[in-house]
Amino acid sequence: MHSLWRTLDRGTLRDIALVCLADAMVGAAFGAIAVSGGLPPWVPVVMSLLVFAGGAQFAAVGVVLSGGAPIAAVAAGLVLNARLLPFGFAIGDVLGGRWWTRLTGAHLMTDEAVAFVLRHDDPRRRHAAFWACGLGLFVSWNAAVVLGALAGRGIGDTAALGLDAAFPAVLLALVLPSLAERNVRNAASLGAVVAVAATPFLPAGLPVLLALTGLVLATRAPAPLPDQLPDQEVR
């Protein structure tokens, strides 16, 4: 473990520490909202240990607290976490060759850990960046969720502290970087319209899943620009 910290430069270690601090604040909000919303304290704690995916946890708990069915909550979390599949191919070299290191690495994989890996080309630095960030986030997130869950038992109204905004804020932060592409914006817009239109008629959680119909636009190839058209033979 000590060699991980010696491999990384001071700037990377500082950035990892700041990310852990920021995620700890979100984790505390997650624990507090889940418990103050009516869930037993052990639910967010166990979920954080076994799932360890902030966005998916927020989505699943948000569906449950709004009255949605458990299957809809699980589906929402799985859909959101599907983005980690291509990440695994991109950083597969840092997970090691043994089955238990690959299994542990898959559990610790987060957007932040992947981002730190992609900052480096050297194999040793990539390996150290992933494990340092992954382990640091796992410890800080779970510790913060426990504290938030304990605090949530004494919070009557999360809206009074602004914690109710954590769900949409976290999900919006995950989505915004992808909206730079026109196809993604079109798909998101169509999905939002479908979800809003279906909300009065379907149980909580299902409109969000129905919004996946917007992916039809995301999978369509954009029309080629004039300068990208193949040269035509002059007749």
Side-chain angles (χ1 to χ4, degrees):
M1 180 63 68
H2 184 58
S3 62
L4 289 180
W5 307 110
R6 294 183 59 183
T7 303
L8 298 174
D9 59 273
R10 183 172 298 180
T12 300
L13 292 175
R14 180 200 61 220
D15 292 344
I16 291 176
L18 291 175
V19 166
C20 289
L21 177 61
D23 274 30
M25 297 174 64
V26 178
F30 169 74
I33 292 174
V35 173
S36 62
L39 295 178
W42 63 267
V43 171
V45 174
V46 172
M47 181 185 289
S48 295
L49 288 171
L50 299 181
V51 179
F52 185 52
Q57 292 177 223
F58 270 100
V61 170
V63 171
V64 172
L65 293 183
S66 61
I71 187 63
V74 172
L78 288 175
V79 169
L80 191 56
N81 254 18
R83 72 188 189 283
L84 297 178
L85 181 59
F87 289 171
F89 292 107
I91 65 166
D93 59 299
V94 307
L95 302 182
R98 299 173 180 174
W99 69 267
W100 60 271
T101 60
R102 300 186 74 83
L103 185 62
T104 304
H107 187 58
L108 297 178
M109 189 181 302
T110 61
D111 302 83
E112 298 88 347
V114 172
F116 279 111
V117 171
L118 297 180
R119 288 172 58 175
H120 302 284
D121 296 321
D122 179 67
R124 293 180 67 248
R125 289 181 179 272
R126 285 168 59 88
H127 179 270
F130 175 80
W131 290 102
C133 183
L135 291 171
L137 284 176
F138 185 80
V139 173
S140 58
W141 173 268
N142 283 281
V145 169
V146 172
L147 295 177
L150 294 176
R153 302 178 66 176
I155 298 177
D157 182 13
T158 56
L161 300 178
L163 295 180
D164 58 316
F167 283 132
V170 171
L171 296 180
L172 185 61
L174 290 172
V175 169
L176 279 179
S178 301
L179 296 181
E181 301 179 17
R182 191 197 319 184
N183 278 1
V184 177
R185 288 199 304 271
N186 293 339
S189 299
L190 176 59
V193 170
V194 171
V196 171
T199 296
F201 309 103
L202 296 178
L206 292 184
V208 175
L209 299 180
L210 194 60
L212 292 175
T213 53
L215 292 176
V216 174
L217 295 183
T219 55
R220 293 177 58 185
L225 298 175
D227 58 349
Q228 294 176 331
L229 294 174
D231 294 335
Q232 298 181 352
E233 182 180 355
V234 178
R235 298 186 184 274

